Amino acid sequence: MTTNTLKPVLIIGGSGVVGRRAVKALRRLQPRLPIWIGGRDTHKAAALAREIGLAEAVRIDLERDDLGLPPDADVSGVVVLLKDDTLRSLRYAQGRGVPYVSFSDFAFDIGPAVALHARHPTRAPVLLLGHFLGGVMTLVTLHLAREFKAVHSIEMGGVFDEEDVGGPAASGDMERLTKGVPSPLIRHEGRFLWASEEVATRVFHGVDGTAWTGRAYPLLDVPSLAAATDANTVRIDFAVRPVARRPPGQGPGLEVVIEITGETPEGTTKRVRHALVDTEVHSGLSALGAALATERLLGLAGGAPVAPGLYHPESVLDPAYVVERVRESGTRLWTM
Ligand SMILES: NC(=O)c1ccc[n+]([C@@H]2O[C@H](COP(=O)([O-])OP(=O)(O)OC[C@H]3O[C@@H](n4cnc5c(N)ncnc54)[C@H](OP(=O)(O)O)[C@@H]3O)[C@@H](O)[C@H]2O)c1
């Protein structure tokens, strides 16, 4: 019998709506990785720890520099599935030189984390993963864009179920978004814009042809996809589907239409439409994104542990690998 020498990864918020799915996805991917499930309510975390095995509940206090953990706590990484507006969790990871995943940042949120990384650039790999579905949509889109020599435009339209709202932390983030900084980020005619009302909405056609009026969001996918492809237009718009309009027999699932225009290797301009449909709430794929990023940063899949630096999902994960895992999870992805 071999002894398990892997150190535990700390998942703060691991007992939440996304978190419990993320720790289960990580357990499926990495059966021997010890997991610490962090939160304020350790009873909830302990029940989940028993369910997944090789896991422990730990009480987290974000008001303390040591996060309330014992001095000899020896973690291999820190994944934060809630908005830590103290950034003590990032300082904690930097202090120990271990990977850090930030999951709840909109595009306008990342300044303080970028500054902390810029102050200590060699201490830890820091992954900014506030992207749509934990980076999954950016990776899927980059995979689909591989057929083009040059990409001109990427437009994503997502339809969320009215009841797919996540837990209290997710609602708090949406409230922060709608009250605090209402302008969405888009790339429009080659410029990054905090969009005015006239360009913030867009009509797109869903998988069954339904016309939805979507609203753009300030998600990190916009700068990520623009950086990776240099497309002149990049935007992600969301619409909410009332429960009454759910397809018959379907639960609170999610659909995304990805439209890409670009130049083919033969030199012609082409527009493609792809669909992604998941019958689970959006936290399912988001959790998969978090789990795939975590195992990659730790060097448990896809290559050696990631070196200190500032990263987005497309800088650490292989799009084809992510698409494979997404399909394996039961999500349907096809060309329309
Ligand atoms: N990037 C993406 O794709 C993506 C997708 C979906 C959601 N999100 C974000 O992910 C986050 C979690 O969403 P969710 O729906 O899972 O919310 P949730 O169900 O409320 O989960 C929040 C988790 O954080 C813990 N927590 C809350 N406040 C805490 C604190 N002060 N100290 C320590 N632990 C604390 C909670 O456990 P206790 O109550 O025990 O403390 C719980 O485990 C939100 O920020 C949401 O916006 C991101």
Side-chain angles (χ1 to χ4, degrees):
M1 203 177 92
T2 52
T3 47
N4 193 353
T5 53
L6 292 173
K7 292 180 188 175
V9 63
L10 170 62
I11 316 262
I12 301 178
S15 60
V17 173
V18 177
R20 53 188 305 112
R21 291 172 167 84
V23 295
K24 286 179 181 176
L26 193 55
R27 172 57 68 241
R28 279 193 297 276
L29 293 165
Q30 298 293 334
R32 293 179 54 74
L33 175 66
I35 299 175
W36 283 3
I37 303 169
R40 295 160 302 182
D41 174 355
T42 44
H43 293 293
K44 190 170 64 170
L48 179 61
R50 281 192 296 276
E51 191 183 333
I52 66 160
L54 201 59
E56 264 178 57
V58 290
R59 191 183 307 278
I60 294 297
D61 183 354
L62 293 174
E63 298 305 319
R64 293 174 54 121
D65 289 338
D66 63 4
L67 308 183
L69 295 170
D72 60 351
D74 191 11
V75 298
S76 58
V78 179
V79 177
V80 185
L81 303 178
L82 67 120
K83 178 75 187 147
D84 173 12
D85 50 17
T86 71
L87 278 188
R88 287 202 178 87
S89 57
L90 174 52
R91 285 184 182 276
Y92 185 87
Q94 285 181 320
R96 280 149 190 81
V98 297
Y100 182 81
V101 178
S102 157
F103 195 67
S104 303
D105 292 322
F106 292 108
F108 55 77
D109 270 330
I110 62 173
V114 170
L116 208 42
H117 174 74
R119 179 84 182 108
H120 306 292
T122 58
R123 283 196 182 165
V126 175
L127 174 63
L128 300 176
L129 192 65
H131 298 64
F132 182 24
L133 305 181
V136 160
M137 287 318 303
T138 278
L139 273 305
V140 166
T141 304
L142 290 177
H143 181 72
L144 300 172
R146 280 180 174 170
E147 69 167 297
F148 293 102
K149 191 168 75 179
V151 177
H152 303 323
S153 151
I154 298 172
E155 294 173 311
M156 248 186 258
V159 183
F160 281 89
D161 190 272
E162 188 181 24
E163 287 184 345
D164 183 6
V165 290
S171 309
D173 282 345
M174 286 316 286
E175 202 176 313
R176 196 161 59 80
L177 173 67
T178 46
K179 288 207 176 129
V181 186
S183 298
L185 178 66
I186 59 177
R187 193 172 202 207
H188 181 66
E189 295 172 356
R191 291 167 198 280
F192 290 98
L193 296 182
W194 297 97
S196 59
E197 215 37 52
E198 307 88 77
V199 281
T201 56
R202 177 174 74 92
V203 174
F204 65 90
H205 293 272
V207 171
D208 62 359
T210 303
W212 297 100
T213 300
R215 191 181 164 77
Y217 269 73
L219 288 179
L220 287 171
D221 304 71
V222 173
S224 269
L225 288 169
T229 66
D230 201 24
N232 267 337
T233 298
V234 184
R235 61 182 298 155
I236 307 181
D237 303 277
F238 293 117
V240 176
R241 182 185 55 220
V243 172
R245 289 179 63 189
R246 270 184 202 164
Q250 198 179 296
L254 158 89
E255 72 175 65
V256 188
V257 172
I258 308 149
E259 292 168 298
I260 308 175
T261 306
E263 189 185 335
T264 65
E266 296 74 37
T268 55
T269 300
K270 182 175 165 187
R271 183 169 178 83
V272 290
R273 246 169 87 79
H274 298 274
L276 176 144
V277 171
D278 193 20
T279 52
E280 248 240 79
V281 288
H282 78 280
S283 299
L285 278 178
S286 307
L288 177 64
L292 292 172
T294 303
E295 63 166 3
R296 176 66 205 98
L297 287 184
L298 298 179
L300 300 173
V306 173
L310 186 62
Y311 299 96
H312 269 174
E314 71 283 4
S315 39
V316 292
L317 284 160
D318 171 25
Y321 176 77
V322 171
V323 166
E324 232 176 88
R325 299 282 87 84
V326 165
R327 285 209 156 103
E328 209 176 74
S329 76
T331 301
R332 289 186 301 137
L333 182 62
W334 74 95
T335 309
M336 288 193 279

